[in-house]
Amino acid sequence: MTKADASGAAAGTLTGGPRRRRVRAAVPLPLLLPGAVALVFLLLPLVALLVRAPWSSLPSLLTSTEVWQALQLSLVCATAATAVSLVLGVPLAWLLARTEFPGRGFVRALVTLPLVLPPVVGGVALLLALGRNGVVGQWLDAWFGITLPFTTAGVVVAESFVAMPFLVISVEGTLRAADPRYEEAATTLGASRFTAFRRVTLPLIAPGIAAGSVLAWARALGEFGATITFAGNFPGRTQTMPLAVYLALQNDPDAAIALSLVLLTVSIAVLAALRDRWMTAS
Amino acid sequence: MTNSHPTAADGPQPPHEPPAPADPAQPPHEPPAAADGAQPPQGPPAPDTDSRTGGAGGNPNPAEGRVPTTHPHPTTHGLHTHLVVTRPTFHLDITLTAAPGEVVALLGPNGAGKTTALRALAGLTPLTAGHLRLDGTELDRTPPESRPVGVVFQDYLLFPHLTALDNVAFGPRCHGATKAEARTQAAAWLDRMGLAEHAGVKPRRLSGGQAQRVALARALATRPRLLLLDEPLAALDARTRLDVRSQLRRHLAEFEAVAVLVTHDPLDAMVLADRLIVIEHGKVVQEGTPADIARRPRTDYIAHLVGLNLYRGRAEGHMVKLDTGPAITTTEDLAGDVFVAFPPSAVTLFRDRPTGASARNLWRCEVSGLETHGDQIRADLTGELPLAADLTTVAAAELDLHPGAPVWATVKATQTHAYPA
């Protein structure tokens, strides 16, 4: 009856082979219809992006200095933010997974807060904390002459703030699933707890760390709200891809589409990289 | 303590250290009083130099070349410990001593506290009370990484990302050896275990028996003064088990310090250990040589393990009046509280009351269960005296045994064994 139904049946005969006669229980309409609408709703914008893409002028658009600058800045900042998240986030994940301290549940809730916090609010909060007159920022300015807002470093700070929770949650989950007795075995062999972590636990949870890093990197690459609030929108300095897309949409829609295609490609690549982790349920 | 030898000084006595083989596996940060410092110095693990082969012998190793010096407490050699671990649902309280060279097995049913005891010895579970002294050094508060203790875990816990060689080299590395030194030592250990050709293999490619030997090599490579083995054979299938058991017996016999192994398998315990400590409900219920425990079990659990019928009662001469009512005639002449034990094969069953037999040791029972036991049939009986009886398949058929069948059971007094409780 619907298009989805028809294609589903077609797929069934294609993959099922001639001898496999599946008795299909009737799919209830109240589930099928909204489900199909949801699928179309999710896919349609992406299809539109591909349909309207200025394919012929794409190479020249993507090689313009402005786009190139934004792309470069985005890659550098997202990678730096991932590095910051790794250096600080993996130890935090270990503390949450392997130690007992009062209020641990509360701390974990706080860590996940940036996941659900509107990024703009995050940006405002960062300004109040690390801005020139911020709670900590004023001292950074006065003592070390460090100003973070509206600098490239500020972009990294904003992206780290948003991306680190993804890494922490992912790594903590992997740590919880890993057998802590390997660490015990290491300590009976004379390894300190840190050595056990470095030489045994870290290699064992490497896949989880890799997945968390990819996730954090993708999140940092697409970060918009916190970045524009905390770091502003200066081409070449703080204007990352999402910001450039937003700006380009006002005066050069084709450039915006081209930039969006780049980000879409990156997203698909991330999905492909993580397919073993999250796509196996199907 | 026939095995105790006066060579391992228990205090920090560096002046008397022989100049000879410096052990690169020694932790440089080891506190001077730690037991490792008192360990007989040994070279890298060469199979023929560092151990006394041949097992039970406890002679001082001449290669140690240590002059006996100050021995304020010669009895402090080996392991002396009182382990108390209290949990909301569980209480462990056992005393354990073992001489160097001795292999002690903690035997007990699941949940008896064997593994908790082992973890407490390794420092992985803190003691609630008690003490732990190894070669004269208090270890109660020493963290696991600083204890001269090696552990072979039940499922070995070989690091899956490291080769067999690097698994064994892990300990020496942590004790300050360079990568090359550690690998040389590890290669020697693997060679000793007959695993030289598997050095470059990751654990998942090893068979169960091989993994067990790598785990043993890894634990021994740190030159522990106390070796702990948690159900060392439980993860193996029956066929490899036989092989590995005899190999393990050989390696334990060569080991010069204290070895404590935990098992619920009486055969493993009896083959591998010099002495058994039976634990039930967190307490020691019996302690002794395998032969002694097999002959004179003191609890139903052990009696069941070694296949004996066991009863407790009060002896007056040759008659033991059981707490449950009936009496058993024995050959031993005893008085007071005693145990009486006899094997199921000593029981003879009759369908009708035997007329010719004397009335001694004759009980009226009822069959409650039957099962094959090798080429025999094991009949579980209830009634005047609950007991297990073994009989041939033919005899069982002739007697027409089936659950609920009434039978008469007799045991000759000469087949029983009574001993003081």
Side-chain angles (χ1 to χ4, degrees), chain A residues 179 181-182 184-193 195 199-200 203-204, chain B residues 119 144-145 149 151 153 155 157-161 170-171 173-175 218:
Chain A
D179 193 340
R181 293 182 312 145
Y182 283 110
E184 291 185 345
T187 62
T188 66
L189 292 168
S192 68
R193 239 180 147 182
T195 307
R199 293 201 51 210
V200 175
L204 287 179
Chain B
R119 289 179 58 85
E145 64 264 29
V149 174
V151 185
F153 292 89
D155 37 4
L157 295 178
L158 294 176
F159 305 131
H161 61 290
F170 189 94
R173 277 287 276 156
C174 291
H175 285 81
R218 185 176 72 170

Side-chain angles (χ1 to χ4, degrees), chain A residues 76-103:
Chain A
V76 168
C77 288
T79 307
T82 308
V84 170
S85 303
L86 273 173
V87 170
L88 303 178
V90 172
L92 177 58
W94 186 85
L95 288 176
L96 288 175
R98 284 286 192 272
T99 60
E100 290 285 341
F101 56 87

Side-chain angles (χ1 to χ4, degrees), chain B residues 83-94 109-120 125-126 128 279-284:
Chain B
L83 304 173
V84 181
V85 177
T86 306
R87 298 258 180 72
T89 57
F90 179 75
H91 183 70
L92 175 78
D93 187 343
I94 63 170
N110 288 331
K114 310 181 298 281
T115 297
T116 305
L118 208 71
R119 289 179 58 85
T125 296
T128 313
I279 301 182
E280 286 178 49
H281 308 296
K283 289 201 163 20
V284 175

Side-chain angles (χ1 to χ4, degrees), chain B residues 154-221:
Chain B
Q154 181 173 358
D155 37 4
Y156 314 135
L157 295 178
L158 294 176
F159 305 131
H161 61 290
L162 298 179
T163 61
L165 184 74
D166 285 335
N167 262 283
V168 180
F170 189 94
R173 277 287 276 156
C174 291
H175 285 81
T178 66
K179 201 167 192 167
E181 283 168 359
R183 285 201 163 157
T184 310
Q185 290 182 30
W189 277 108
L190 287 179
D191 194 31
R192 186 172 173 174
M193 298 287 168
L195 288 167
E197 68 274 27
H198 296 94
V201 170
K202 294 276 177 66
R204 74 184 129 81
R205 302 265 311 273
L206 294 170
S207 73
Q210 290 164 349
Q212 203 262 1
R213 278 179 285 160
V214 173
L216 182 62
R218 185 176 72 170
L220 289 173

Side-chain angles (χ1 to χ4, degrees), chain A:
Chain A
M1 46 170 291
T2 63
K3 211 170 79 179
D5 196 20
S7 67
T13 52
L14 277 177
T15 56
R19 301 237 48 89
R20 209 173 122 205
R21 286 177 57 202
R22 260 196 305 168
V23 182
R24 294 181 65 190
V27 179
L29 210 56
L31 294 180
L32 182 64
L33 264 182
V37 168
L39 190 65
V40 169
F41 172 71
L42 289 175
L43 284 181
L44 189 62
L46 301 181
V47 172
L49 195 62
L50 293 174
V51 167
R52 285 294 171 86
W55 295 105
S56 53
S57 56
L58 203 56
S60 62
L61 279 170
L62 288 180
T63 45
S64 75
T65 18
E66 231 170 84
V67 170
W68 195 239
Q69 244 178 8
L71 181 62
Q72 229 175 346
L73 189 71
S74 281
L75 294 179
V76 168
C77 288
T79 307
T82 308
V84 170
S85 303
L86 273 173
V87 170
L88 303 178
V90 172
L92 177 58
W94 186 85
L95 288 176
L96 288 175
R98 284 286 192 272
T99 60
E100 290 285 341
F101 56 87
R104 195 182 55 176
F106 183 65
V107 170
R108 189 189 288 117
L110 283 184
V111 168
T112 46
L113 185 60
L115 285 179
V116 291
L117 192 73
V120 180
V121 178
V124 172
L126 280 173
L127 265 182
L128 296 179
L130 301 172
R132 199 180 274 265
N133 298 316
V135 177
V136 176
Q138 54 181 324
W139 304 113
L140 283 180
D141 193 28
W143 292 351
F144 308 107
I146 297 174
T147 359
L148 287 173
F150 310 113
T151 63
T152 307
V155 177
V156 176
V157 168
E159 290 183 352
S160 302
F161 180 78
V162 175
M164 199 190 298
F166 284 90
L167 185 102
V168 173
I169 296 304
S170 170
V171 173
E172 196 213 343
T174 316
L175 269 171
R176 286 193 178 282
D179 193 340
R181 293 182 312 145
Y182 283 110
E183 287 178 37
E184 291 185 345
T187 62
T188 66
L189 292 168
S192 68
R193 239 180 147 182
F194 180 65
T195 307
F197 170 76
R198 191 171 51 83
R199 293 201 51 210
V200 175
T201 314
L202 216 48
L204 287 179
I205 62 164
I209 293 180
S213 304
V214 171
L215 204 60
W217 186 79
R219 183 69 187 82
L221 194 72
E223 163 47 35
F224 180 88
T227 309
I228 202 164
T229 317
F230 185 61
N233 185 18
F234 303 104
R237 195 142 57 89
T238 68
Q239 191 183 74
T240 56
M241 291 277 276
L243 274 56
V245 171
Y246 181 72
L247 201 72
L249 205 54
Q250 325 285 321
N251 39 36
D252 187 359
D254 276 0
I257 297 169
L259 285 166
S260 301
L261 278 178
V262 173
L263 287 177
L264 178 64
T265 311
V266 171
S267 307
I268 291 171
V270 167
L271 209 60
L274 295 177
R275 70 188 182 283
D276 289 338
R277 232 176 137 69
W278 284 307
M279 305 276 285
T280 44
S282 59

Side-chain angles (χ1 to χ4, degrees), chain B residues 346-361:
Chain B
V347 181
T348 313
L349 298 184
F350 300 92
R351 197 61 198 260
D352 302 307
R353 187 181 175 111
T355 46
S358 72
R360 284 177 182 173
N361 291 352

